[in-house]
Amino acid sequence: MPRYISPQVQYFDSLGVPLNAGKLFFYEPSTLVLKNTFSDSSLAVPNTNPVILAVNGSPSVDIWLNGTYRVILKDSLDNVIWDKDPVGGDNSDRVPWTNWVSGITYDTGNVVVASNDRYYVAIQEPNLNQDPTTSPAWWSEIRLLRVYNASETYPANTVIQDTSGFLWRSKVLTAGAAPVLGSAFWEPAIDGFAALSDQSTITNIASGALAKNRFYRLTAAGPFTLPLASTTNSGDKIFIVHDPDVEPVVNASGGDVIRFGTTVLSAANYTGVVLNVGFSCIFVSNGTRWELN
């Protein structure tokens, strides 16, 4: 069950004065039927209803919820400050974030759901009456990573994870198109790819010459040929994946060689390599040869 908002909140009147002896009333949603809150997470000890605020405008007890509520805040003379309905929700500890509410002071690190249904974390305190949707100096948006679902439509530039753990970014509004290299809808979203000179080029080929700083999905055994290392800069890369039922051959050009890594135990040089089934790789140039990572 979730705790009711932050454990250390303060409430204020319209002049910013702490709401001493203010009252928090808790009801069944859409009614004026009182509903208990609790001072412990096991929901064993009910609070008074209303919960009376201390001199600093803070509840004197912890407030744990059991489902959803209508919550009305009043001052000590029973004037209504605000009326929110519904508040709370799932009874699970896995739903710790509540809707942002004006009049509540949030501490740095508190997470809320704003009126645009996006998540925000407070980055300053005391954070009072700063709407997350319009107050970037007070709130930073949090984006939750989704797993690809063929039934969902993704806006452009949405980052998702596929079931194998790879990250992808949607190029355009995308629905029902699975993320694969060469797709018109998706491109890899992986650290290191940003260094490429042309991130938009993802090429499917069955044989022929490869170019530096490109993504390739090889669809046949080839052979395929690397560019001369001397025509590249140190650190230039060629990213390769291939169909799971082929073993492509990748050859060096001219007098170039391919080295498996840079350690003494794996410093053998080759003029061509066979990429085994399921083996994806990155060729990295040092300006004089290609190294297979």
Side-chain angles (χ1 to χ4, degrees):
M1 65 293 307
R3 182 195 293 268
Y4 171 66
I5 56 176
S6 166
Q8 261 330 106
V9 295
Q10 283 182 285
Y11 297 91
F12 300 84
D13 63 18
S14 59
L15 299 177
V17 177
L19 207 58
N20 179 23
K23 304 172 185 179
L24 278 169
F25 290 85
F26 294 85
Y27 304 96
E28 295 286 352
S30 303
T31 75
L32 289 175
V33 177
L34 292 171
K35 180 178 179 179
N36 281 340
T37 64
F38 301 84
S39 61
D40 64 315
S41 60
S42 60
L43 307 185
V45 182
N47 291 320
T48 61
N49 199 351
V51 173
I52 306 299
L53 304 181
V55 66
N56 65 350
S58 295
S60 57
V61 293
D62 281 344
I63 303 176
W64 294 87
L65 302 183
N66 184 15
T68 55
Y69 293 74
R70 178 182 183 181
V71 183
I72 299 178
L73 175 64
K74 298 182 180 182
D75 63 19
S76 60
L77 299 178
D78 287 326
N79 297 304
V80 174
I81 305 299
W82 51 251
D83 182 342
K84 301 295 182 181
D85 187 8
V87 172
D90 196 299
N91 290 341
S92 167
D93 289 333
R94 293 172 296 177
V95 187
W97 301 330
T98 57
N99 294 334
W100 175 79
V101 177
S102 61
I104 293 177
T105 299
Y106 295 93
D107 297 327
T108 300
N110 288 165
V111 177
V112 299
V113 183
S115 59
N116 59 3
D117 290 327
R118 297 182 181 181
Y119 299 94
Y120 293 82
V121 59
I123 57 175
Q124 289 193 59
E125 60 180 70
N127 191 331
L128 174 65
N129 294 330
Q130 301 292 339
D131 188 332
T133 65
T134 57
S135 306
W138 293 88
W139 298 92
S140 286
E141 183 181 349
I142 298 174
R143 295 187 177 180
L144 305 181
L145 186 65
R146 301 190 185 194
V147 175
Y148 172 74
N149 183 340
S151 299
E152 184 172 6
T153 298
Y154 299 96
N157 297 313
T158 301
V159 175
I160 59 98
Q161 187 176 46
D162 66 20
T163 54
S164 298
F166 295 106
L167 300 180
W168 300 87
R169 180 185 296 106
S170 55
K171 298 179 180 179
V172 294
L173 186 69
T174 301
V180 294
L181 285 179
S183 167
F185 302 98
W186 297 98
E187 63 185 1
I190 302 173
D191 289 343
F193 286 0
L196 298 181
S197 62
D198 185 354
Q199 297 181 65
S200 64
T201 300
I202 303 176
T203 306
N204 296 345
I205 61 174
S207 64
L210 304 177
K212 68 178 184 178
N213 293 339
R214 297 290 187 274
F215 300 97
Y216 286 100
R217 177 173 174 265
L218 306 182
T219 58
F224 305 89
T225 305
L226 299 172
L228 283 169
S230 60
T231 65
T232 67
N233 298 315
S234 180
D236 283 346
K237 299 178 178 67
I238 297 175
F239 293 79
I240 290 178
V241 299
H242 58 84
D243 287 351
D245 56 346
V246 301
E247 295 188 342
V249 176
V250 178
N251 295 322
S253 295
D256 280 1
V257 294
I258 303 169
R259 173 173 287 184
F260 285 89
T262 57
T263 66
V264 174
L265 295 178
S266 59
N269 296 323
Y270 298 85
T271 57
V273 296
V274 178
L275 305 182
N276 292 336
V277 168
F279 180 78
S280 299
C281 64
I282 305 172
F283 288 93
V284 182
S285 172
N286 71 356
T288 59
R289 65 169 182 267
W290 290 95
E291 295 176 350
L292 182 58
N293 286 7

